[in-house]
Amino acid sequence: MSDTRIPVLASVKSHPRVLERLKEKFDLRLMEIDGPASLPEAERSEIRGAAAAFGGFSAEWMDMLPNLEVIASFGVGYDAVNVGHAASRGIIVTNTPDVLNDEVADTTVALLINTVRRLPQAEQWLREGRWEKDGPFPLSPLSLAGRHVGIFGLGRIGLEIAKRLEPFKLKISYCTRTPRDDVPYKHYASLLDMARDVDTLISIVPKTDATHKVINAEILSALGANGVFVNAGRGWSVDEEDLAAALKNGTIAAAGLDVFYDEPHVPQALVDVPNASLLPHVASASVPTRNGMADLVVDNLIEWFSSGRALTPVPETPQKDG
Ligand code: NAP
Ligand code: 8YV
């Protein structure tokens, strides 16, 4: 008997729960990481929905699928999906906002503390038997206490970071293009002005044309010698050469990075500096949170094909009212 369910496409590299649930509800077709090219042309024209994994979804891929209506992307950041092209084709793109706010905010605060107090290095000291052999781990030159944190991007996740830092008794400011009227923190329209006033900068902005390499030598120099920089947004926003130089020559004191410009490549200059705390893009990477993201990917496709409305469309591909 032929499968009368709606044909949807997903990468073999998708989260296992995405594949499992899509298989239950849809006629699931799989593509390799190089996209739909390997599918026979007749099969490509049957595809009406797609789940995008880590590599995103290019214009070329969309154009191989003439009847594609919706792309459900895994992750809140959807910079790897060509949303401009999707909009021009009338394809709805969805992302996974909110379900990861707490996890990413928790990890960002943990990364800040690791960076300031050198806790990963202290644990390494113990594991290497150096506590017994060489004595106590050296005092951390920096402390979190009394810091003034500037959050670059006070959206869903930035706000959760700010809320977590309040009980740490830290002063909080933020920089966005549009001030919020629901927070008590000082707003800066200029990242440079904020960097001059704070000693701790946390970046949690999306990858867009306007955020390309905006954290550069000038911003790091304004942050100053007691400065700590943490990035949980996208590596795209940072000039990594400038950052490595600033860490090496003491322009800033330390950095904590979860994201990099050309992942999974991490510049050796950042690996080599002892005052950088580095994570392999794990801010949302717990089993429960990734399951929540996987469910939202699948629920968006289910909702689209049952009601004609996606749950969480991105602003660049709005749904028609009604
Ligand atoms: P969001 O709710 O859309 O918030 C984005 C914030 O950035 C807003 O406050 C926005 O304010 C600000 N912003 C955007 N462009 C800006 C610019 N040019 N200058 C200044 N501020 C700007 O997004 P979110 O859900 O919080 O997620 C933020 C980003 O975090 C994602 O896009 C993703 O790249 C990253 N992320 C990383 C991980 C990880 O695993 N490390 C996990 C989740 C998310 P205005 O529009 O007013 O400027
Ligand atoms: C994920 C992220 O690691 O949601 C995002 O924007 O960067 C992370 O949650 C990523 O989406 C996995 O592709």
Side-chain angles (χ1 to χ4, degrees), residues 165-233:
L165 294 179
E166 279 193 39
F168 284 85
K169 300 181 282 184
L170 304 184
K171 187 173 171 190
I172 296 163
S173 298
Y174 72 106
C175 170
T176 53
R177 290 163 302 180
T178 315
R180 297 183 66 126
D181 55 16
D182 58 349
V183 294
Y185 320 126
K186 179 171 177 183
H187 174 257
Y188 290 83
S190 152
L191 178 59
L192 183 59
D193 287 346
M194 183 170 81
R196 284 193 185 111
D197 285 0
V198 303
D199 53 31
T200 306
L201 175 64
I202 297 179
S203 179
I204 186 72
V205 286
K207 174 177 174 176
T208 66
D209 290 349
T211 61
H212 188 225
K213 291 193 180 180
V214 286
I215 293 144
N216 54 19
E218 189 184 26
I219 299 295
L220 296 168
S221 170
L223 196 57
N226 186 37
V228 173
F229 170 59
V230 169
N231 192 7

Side-chain angles (χ1 to χ4, degrees), residues 53-54 74-77 96 100 104 233-234 281 284 290 293:
F54 308 108
F74 187 91
V76 67
T96 61
L100 41 50
V104 176
R234 286 286 183 265
H281 200 147
S284 70
R290 287 287 170 89
M293 294 161 67

Side-chain angles (χ1 to χ4, degrees), residues 124-137:
Q124 195 62 21
W125 183 270
L126 177 152
R127 287 180 183 281
E128 287 169 357
R130 295 191 63 186
W131 189 11
E132 216 168 349
K133 192 157 59 82
D134 300 329
F137 181 69

